[in-house]
Structures are given as structure tokens and as C-alpha cells.
Amino acid sequence: MKTFCGRANPTTGSMEWLEEGEDYDYHQEIARSRYADMLHDKDRNVKYYQGIRAAVSRVKERGEKAIVLDIGTGTGLLSMMAASAGADFCYAIEVFKPMANAAVKIVEKNGFSDKIKVINKHSTEVTVGPDGDMQCRANILVTELFDTELIGEGALPTYEHAHKYLVQEGCEAVPHRATVYVQLVESRRMWSWKKLFPVHVEAEDGEKILVPPSEMENCPGVPSVCDIQLNQMPSSDFSTLSDVVTMFSVDFSKPVQSASTYYRVQLEPVKSGKAQIVLSWWDIDMDPSGMINCTMAPYWVKPTSALQWRDHWMQCVYFLPREEPVLQGEKLYLTACRDEYSVWYSLQKAREGESKADEEEHKADVPVESPVCRCRAHLLWNRPRFGELNDQTRTRQYIKSLRKVLKTDSVCLCISDGSLLPVLAHYLGAKQVQCMQPSRIDLYHPHEFFKANHLEDKIKIIEARPELLKPSHLEDKKISVLVGEPFFTTSLLPWHNLYFWYARTAVSPHLASNVTVLPQSASLHMMIVEFQDLWRIRSPCGTCEGFDVQTMDDMIKNSLNFRESKEAEPHPLWEYPCKSLSDPQEVLTFDFTKTVPQHCLSTEGSVKLLRKGKSHGAVLWMEYHLAADISLSTGLMQLSDEQGNCEWNPHCKQAVYFFSSVIESEIQSDPTAVTYAIKFDTKTGEIAMDFKL
Ligand code: SAH
């Protein structure tokens, strides 16, 4: 089946029709899947194996046959563990067809075909009975259906159904239980992902303070979970206001209810401060006694030596609906509400001399509604973007550059999504300021923002795409200063923001002959790196706990090479430490003072590997040259130290191109080099690259 999907090209902005058949979807899903990461998660695998062995033994000790139901079998791994542990029969359920097919192959290759039946269905479609998918109900329930938020992948409704229809009463479950932990913290850094802080601008006529509209101030934000590698958050970036508290647990061996509910715990702050954030993670006990425990606890809670790196399970950051000042030792209640798929938090203060009965009364205060953005800004700006807008060092660079180029008679047009630049340009004295947010006019209208700062008459919003700009939009004036951050919500890879160049080209007829374009140019930079851990997500596994899973490796490799188009992928590298093996190198430049050329921009060359290490891939990022000596990097912030450690822009994702084979460089001998060919196709806006080691 072939379908054609229309979408705006993120770089060129033009509409294009892409052929997106079933094949395309599934190759994307496999290529970017977390299966490899799960198979590399030694801690998880070992503990599942221990838990499964223990559950099979308990059933056998009761003199029963061990019949296993493995929901979401993936590669078949957990069923193979059960069969090896002596289970009599396993029903391995997998809804995703390509995975179910792979599971059949892997099970066969490992010699378990007579013990494991792979069923390509969603578990809620599975039937039990003499003619059913399963002959009888199972007495061991094995699953791994958890995401970073525990329940986001639908574990609760799946368990609820399985207990009703697929397993026996009193069955053994692996894992046996999950527990969610929380800790209340104050963190300017994390709070800056949800709120817009006032921006201070030193203008000609005194200091101006830009404030967000009250609707944005009081907005609860979006419900989607904020999952991050909390282990990369330095302890100096937050302050813990409470101990770690158990929020709730789920016993998977008993009937599970998925209906919305809430849990409440009492807290006493260990320190006074501003309660802003709830950090959360979970652990699973593979057995009833809790001896086999697999935890996502961050570094300050558990010894660093016990940390297992994984990307399929991380930690959660929840934003309280509003900031709440709390005092050390005062009595607080933290409430977790959940529906079938997500969790959200609120904080209540206990009133003076409160009794148990009063506590009951609090229940009426519980916000049962999940957070929904009312100000619409949270729909336009994702969390890293909020962080970026709140980055004062960055804002100062723009202010400094704008000051250099703006004059009192400047006619300024700003092209960027949800940008502060129009306001800055106005404060810094431009005569006429207009703005255009090409990709998402529908999502968020900056009018409210301008109004909150009494600028609604001063800054005009042009609701047209760049190619439809008319002289009347500009009051028949020519643009003397064209600015952009550039930032567009449609960008996934760093170079997608080159859309600014295409927009600049489209508005060319409206530019004054001596126009200033800010940024004046951009450049693409590259560096060869060795990842501390990120390499695992794209690296073959071979065998996992003694089971041959090469079929899975081959399948991923095949999907990565689908249409022979290996691509760079976006990753926020502040979360994924790496070591530079080469110097950073500028590979392409894009001159915004000119229009986009007809021909492709390409370059070839080689980079020397200066340090000993494994070349896992190349990292690429953009730098914007705002004015003569002012540049902003969306990638490397700080040149690596002696050991090659690097500091990355905390608000941006960088592009990572994983090499298909890894080379180990030994600089003592001949320094090795990596040759590259990089081509920017100005028609498609895509960057193709090839590396030879
Ligand atoms: N059990 C494997 C894979 C876990 S990933 C392992 O531990 O390595 C979870 C898998 O469950 C995915 O392949 C997903 O497609 C599948 N899945 C999730 N919910 C399901 C359901 N209700 N029924 C069947 N498969 C499900």
C-alpha cells in the first residue's frame, strides 16, 4: 500500500508530497526503536531473568505446570528466559507485526519453537479456550510495558484486561510490583522550561522589563511528560526541598485498576525554598520479597557505581501548577493524579492545627483535570525553547547585535516563530517593527504578549507567509533590517532553521538595497566524537543473556539502510556525554546577505583524529553570526578540555551521524583521519553526508 502525505519541507518551506507506505513507517519505527537499548540494558535483563527463574520455581514448588503469558514479547527475550528456566509453555504476545515476525525467527534459532507460541495480536484481542490463541489461562504473567513515566505505554489497561481474561487468580507476576518515588525541588534551570521570566533590556530611555501575559503566568502548561537523563543535571542546578518519598505502588500480581485516581502523601520540607518541580522515578521489584530490584533512582539517591545507563527509561520532571514558597518543617500534601496513561502533581498546604477530618476535606481541592495549556504559548514553545528564551546570556548577544545595526529610521521585519526579537528591536529604537511567524501562526498569536507589554499598537503582526508578503503589509516601505533568531518550531535537525534563508529569499523584493540581515550568515560545524553511552542505542547486540538476537541486529541494520539513506538524527547532547576526538571544524557557510543559490553547496575534506578513542560518529551543529564579532552556537559551547570533554548548548538538539563501523584511534602511532563529503541540496534543503574511516 502506498500513500502520499503532504507536508511542508522544514528547511525550504515548500509543500511536498512524500510517498509514505507501510514500509517507510515500519523502517522508521525499527531504525529509531529502543529495542537495541533494551537489549544492552544488562541490569534490566539480569534482573528479569532472576525474577522469571524465581517465579517459575514458585509455581513448580506448588506442583503446578508453569504456563507463561509474555505480553509485548518484542524479540521474544523474556519468553526464552522463561522457557530456559523450565516453564512448560509460553504464550508470547506482540502487536507490532515486524517484531512478531522477528520473534518467531529468534525463538526458532534458539531452539524454543516447541515451548513458545508467538501471537501477533494486541493482548486485548487474545482469546482463551480449546480453539483460542491460548489453551488455558496462564499462571505466570511477564511483561515489560513500561516507559519513563511507568504507565505511559498503556501498562495499566493491559494489566487490567490480562487479569480479567488471560491469567489465573493468584498468578505470579514478573515484575511483581512497581513503586513511584518523588522528591520536591527548587530549580531555576528546570523552572525556566515552563515559565517565561521577565527580560531586562537596557534601552536608550532607561531600563525596560518585558513581562509575560498573566494568562501565561498562570498557565499549567502541557500534560506531556518531561523525561530527561537526570543524571546529567549537576547538583548545583537544583536544590532538594524534601526527602525522597514513595508516592504510589502497583501490585501486578493482583487485579489492576486503570481508572483515573489520585494518591496523596504528607511532606515536611527539609529546607525552606520555592517548591517548583517534582522529580520522579520508579523501581520494579521482580519478586514479592523485593530482593530483585531494578531502579531508575538518580545519582544522588544511589551510589554512582550502581548506575546502569539506559535511554528507554529515564527520570521525569513534573512542573507544579505554580511556584509555592514552603518553610522547613511545615506540613504539606503532595498529590499525584493519574489517568490511564499519565501522571501530574499538585501541592497543598495543611492548615494550622488540622485534624484527620480536615484532611478529608482537602480531597475536594484535588485537581482532577490534567494540565491543559490555556495561554497557547506552551503549544508553540516546547520546554527547551522556554529555556532558550530565558537564557539571558543569549538575549544579551541579540541586544548587543541589534544595537549595532538598528537606527532610528529602521524598518525592521522579524521572521521567527514566537520570538522576543520584535520587542527587543522596538525597545532599541527601530522606527517600525513587524513580525512574521511563518510556521505556526495558527498555534500562538504574539498579540497577547505584546498587549501585556503595551506594545500592541507598536508591533505589527503580518499574517502571511513570506512569499505572499505585499508592499501594503509594510506600509509601502522597504525593509532596512531583516532579523531572525532563527528559530522555527518545524525544525528537527539543526540546519532546518535555514528556513530563514529561504524566507529571506522570498521577501527579497521588499528589502532595501542597503538592507542589513541579522544573522548575516550561518555555518555548519562538525566534530568526531566518542560517546560515553549513546552509542548503545544504535549498536548491534549479538547475544543477550546467552540468547542469540542477531536477527534483531540485522533487522535494525536493514531499516537504517532503507532507501540507502543513512540519516543524521537529533539528540540533545547535554544529556549524552561524549569526548571529542577531533577539533571542531567549520564545513559549510550560508550567506544570508545573498539569496539561496540555485546550485548545491558541497564540501569534502578530512578531519584528523587527535585523541585516542572510539569514533562512534560525527556531531553537527549550526552557528549564527549575528554581527561582526558576535556569534551564537547551537552546539559546542566550550572547547573541550585536555580529556576531550565538551559542553553543549543546553537548549538545542545537535545532529548525530552514527558511523556504521567504529574505529579505534591510537594517536601514538600515525594519527588517523576521517574523510567526509557533505552536500547541502538547496532544492530540497537536505544535507547528505558520507564518511570514510
Ligand atoms: N519484552 C521485550 C520487549 C519489550 S518492548 C523485552 O523485554 O525485551 C514492549 C513491546 O510490547 C513492544 O514491542 C510493543 O509493540 C509491545 N506491546 C505493548 N503493549 C502491548 C499489548 N498490549 N499487546 C501486545 N503487544 C504489546
Side-chain angles (χ1 to χ4, degrees):
M1 192 185 65
K2 279 180 187 167
T3 44
F4 286 87
C5 301
R7 63 151 201 181
N9 179 301
T11 317
T12 64
S14 58
M15 259 323 255
E16 52 191 32
W17 294 94
L18 298 175
E19 187 188 309
E20 289 193 353
E22 256 171 53
D23 275 8
Y24 178 82
D25 283 349
Y26 112 56
H27 283 300
Q28 277 301 315
E29 191 151 346
I30 299 281
R32 308 282 171 243
S33 71
R34 294 166 186 245
Y35 292 107
D37 181 25
M38 292 188 290
L39 295 173
H40 281 293
D41 187 343
K42 182 85 185 157
D43 179 60
R44 174 197 91 119
N45 301 336
V46 165
K47 282 162 180 171
Y48 260 99
Y49 211 168
Q50 288 173 352
I52 288 169
R53 281 201 196 99
V56 171
S57 303
R58 289 198 299 278
V59 168
K60 294 268 169 177
E61 271 163 26
R62 298 203 290 258
E64 294 169 23
K65 276 193 161 181
I67 309 295
V68 176
L69 171 64
D70 169 12
I71 303 182
T73 200
T75 52
L77 179 70
L78 305 182
S79 285
M80 293 193 292
M81 287 179 176
S84 300
D88 295 277
F89 202 76
C90 304
Y91 294 101
I93 321 295
E94 175 53 56
V95 65
F96 184 37
K97 183 128 197 266
M99 274 318 298
N101 292 344
V104 170
K105 283 193 204 140
I106 295 171
V107 164
E108 196 179 81
K109 202 167 169 194
N110 286 277
F112 292 109
S113 293
D114 57 332
K115 292 263 188 231
I116 299 173
K117 179 181 177 189
V118 177
I119 302 167
N120 177 209
K121 278 188 175 181
H122 191 268
S123 61
T124 52
E125 304 293 322
V126 170
T127 54
V128 182
D131 303 319
D133 299 312
M134 298 169 67
Q135 287 289 302
C136 61
R137 287 183 176 230
N139 53 6
I140 300 179
L141 174 57
V142 178
T143 78
E144 203 274 60
L145 300 168
F146 313 113
D147 68 345
T148 294
E149 203 177 19
L150 188 71
I151 64 171
E153 277 171 19
L156 294 178
T158 294
Y159 271 108
E160 183 169 39
H161 173 272
H163 277 288
K164 276 190 190 144
Y165 303 105
L166 307 176
V167 298
Q168 298 169 19
E169 204 184 313
C171 77
E172 301 288 341
V174 183
H176 179 80
R177 99 174 59 74
T179 307
V180 172
Y181 302 89
V182 293
Q183 191 166 25
L184 193 65
V185 306
E186 168 176 345
S187 165
R188 188 179 159 85
R189 174 166 178 198
M190 289 184 258
W191 197 234
S192 83
W193 298 344
K194 187 209 175 205
K195 296 216 4 161
L196 189 65
F197 298 150
V199 181
H200 295 254
V201 188
E202 225 33 84
E204 297 298 301
D205 50 343
E207 189 188 53
K208 306 274 175 176
I209 303 173
L210 227 152
V211 293
S214 62
E215 205 164 39
M216 200 191 286
E217 271 296 281
N218 302 320
C219 182
V222 281
S224 61
V225 66
C226 175
D227 50 345
I228 62 164
Q229 292 281 0
L230 207 44
N231 287 322
Q232 297 309 320
M233 180 70 64
S235 54
S236 52
D237 280 354
F238 62 96
S239 135
T240 54
L241 300 180
S242 81
D243 292 331
V244 177
V245 179
T246 301
M247 197 69 223
F248 66 93
S249 341
V250 186
D251 181 344
F252 296 123
S253 71
K254 306 243 160 55
V256 168
Q257 253 118 44
S258 68
S260 299
T261 186
Y262 72 89
Y263 312 89
R264 160 167 292 192
V265 293
Q266 202 184 326
L267 277 186
E268 265 175 32
V270 292
K271 188 153 73 199
S272 301
K274 286 181 260 179
Q276 296 165 328
I277 304 284
V278 175
L279 298 180
S280 173
W281 58 89
W282 49 261
D283 67 11
I284 41 183
D285 286 323
M286 297 297 184
D287 64 329
S289 72
M291 296 289 282
I292 312 164
N293 178 274
C294 181
T295 177
M296 306 309 126
Y299 66 89
W300 64 95
V301 180
K302 95 177 184 183
T304 348
S305 59
L307 286 178
Q308 160 79 50
W309 185 88
R310 45 171 75 93
D311 207 39
H312 61 113
W313 294 330
M314 297 181 264
Q315 293 79 26
C316 300
V317 178
Y318 294 98
F319 304 87
L320 288 173
R322 43 187 174 273
E323 175 180 290
E324 195 84 60
V326 297
L327 294 171
Q328 183 178 350
E330 93 177 299
K331 208 167 143 194
L332 299 174
Y333 295 106
L334 184 66
T335 308
C337 293
R338 68 149 184 82
D339 56 20
E340 279 183 310
Y341 297 98
S342 64
V343 186
W344 59 97
Y345 286 87
S346 64
L347 190 69
Q348 291 87 28
K349 292 208 171 187
R351 281 168 284 236
E352 204 66 38
E354 188 164 37
S355 69
K356 203 81 195 149
D358 295 330
E359 261 178 51
E360 283 300 299
E361 226 172 69
H362 268 302
K363 288 189 177 164
D365 308 339
V366 173
V368 277
E369 298 281 300
S370 93
V372 181
C373 171
R374 290 187 299 256
C375 73
R376 299 173 73 91
H378 296 91
L379 306 177
L380 178 71
W381 295 329
N382 60 16
R383 286 153 184 145
R385 174 63 172 160
F386 264 95
E388 182 171 60
L389 290 172
N390 282 320
D391 182 338
Q392 304 203 355
T393 318
R394 179 177 181 271
T395 305
R396 274 199 294 275
Q397 303 284 66
Y398 282 104
I399 293 176
K400 227 162 101 186
S401 323
L402 282 169
R403 209 173 255 137
K404 285 185 190 221
V405 305
L406 288 175
K407 302 199 186 72
T408 45
D409 61 350
S410 290
V411 174
C412 178
L413 175 67
C414 171
I415 306 181
S416 266
D417 283 346
S419 177
L420 305 181
L421 290 188
V423 180
L424 299 183
H426 170 78
Y427 282 155
L428 296 169
K431 181 175 164 206
Q432 181 181 325
V433 182
Q434 270 138 328
C435 72
M436 208 181 234
Q437 46 180 52
S439 36
R440 299 326 292 261
I441 295 174
D442 50 321
L443 269 189
Y444 173 71
H445 216 280
H447 184 76
E448 286 306 311
F449 185 73
F450 297 155
K451 214 168 127 194
N453 292 283
H454 313 290
L455 297 170
E456 67 271 32
D457 305 327
K458 306 282 196 291
I459 301 168
K460 199 171 134 196
I461 304 159
I462 301 177
E463 291 187 42
R465 295 185 56 79
E467 53 283 8
L468 301 175
L469 187 68
K470 292 193 199 71
S472 58
H473 285 127
L474 301 165
E475 295 165 20
D476 296 316
K477 297 210 179 69
K478 291 277 183 192
I479 300 160
S480 60
V481 180
L482 180 71
V483 301
E485 296 188 33
F487 171 88
F488 301 100
T489 52
T490 40
S491 298
L492 299 171
L493 288 162
W495 45 88
H496 290 167
N497 283 322
L498 282 177
Y499 173 63
F500 178 71
W501 200 15
Y502 290 80
R504 177 256 178 262
T505 303
V507 303
S508 284
H510 306 279
L511 302 180
S513 57
N514 60 346
V515 65
T516 306
V517 184
L518 184 163
Q520 56 198 21
S521 65
S523 48
L524 181 69
H525 296 247
M526 178 188 81
M527 194 165 79
I528 310 296
V529 303
E530 173 184 74
F531 286 109
Q532 194 177 300
D533 296 295
L534 191 66
W535 59 272
R536 291 168 206 271
I537 66 167
R538 300 287 169 257
S539 151
C541 201
T543 61
C544 180
E545 296 311 302
F547 302 102
D548 181 342
V549 291
Q550 207 195 320
T551 307
M552 187 68 218
D553 294 338
D554 295 343
M555 194 165 142
I556 295 175
K557 198 164 150 204
N558 179 36
S559 288
L560 283 169
N561 292 332
F562 178 61
R563 290 185 190 161
E564 291 157 45
S565 60
K566 256 200 87 188
E567 287 165 10
E569 36 184 296
H571 291 284
L573 290 188
W574 75 264
E575 292 184 64
Y576 302 101
C578 60
K579 185 169 109 173
S580 74
L581 297 185
S582 74
D583 280 335
Q585 197 151 324
E586 182 176 301
V587 284
L588 284 177
T589 57
F590 312 93
D591 183 357
F592 296 161
T593 64
K594 304 206 171 71
T595 56
V596 178
Q598 295 291 318
H599 57 84
C600 294
L601 304 178
S602 52
T603 178
E604 283 179 13
S606 70
V607 258
K608 263 208 198 102
L609 298 179
L610 306 169
R611 229 171 250 111
K612 203 171 152 177
K614 293 190 170 111
S615 306
H616 290 129
V619 176
L620 298 104
W621 67 93
M622 297 290 286
E623 296 193 3
Y624 296 105
H625 310 291
L626 303 183
D629 51 354
I630 306 176
S631 291
L632 278 181
S633 170
T634 65
L636 196 66
M637 301 299 281
Q638 197 78 268
L639 260 178
S640 26
D641 59 15
E642 282 293 289
Q643 286 79 45
N645 296 315
C646 340
E647 188 191 326
W648 298 97
N649 184 317
H651 315 300
C652 298
K653 286 185 179 173
Q654 291 75 35
V656 177
Y657 184 96
F658 287 99
F659 297 152
S660 36
S661 59
V662 171
I663 54 157
E664 293 215 43
S665 54
E666 293 283 347
I667 87 136
Q668 283 87 338
S669 55
D670 248 356
T672 344
V674 175
T675 59
Y676 61 84
I678 296 177
K679 187 165 114 184
F680 176 61
D681 184 333
T682 51
K683 296 270 173 324
T684 62
E686 270 158 32
I687 291 189
M689 52 193 108
D690 194 24
F691 293 88
K692 287 204 176 59
L693 308 176

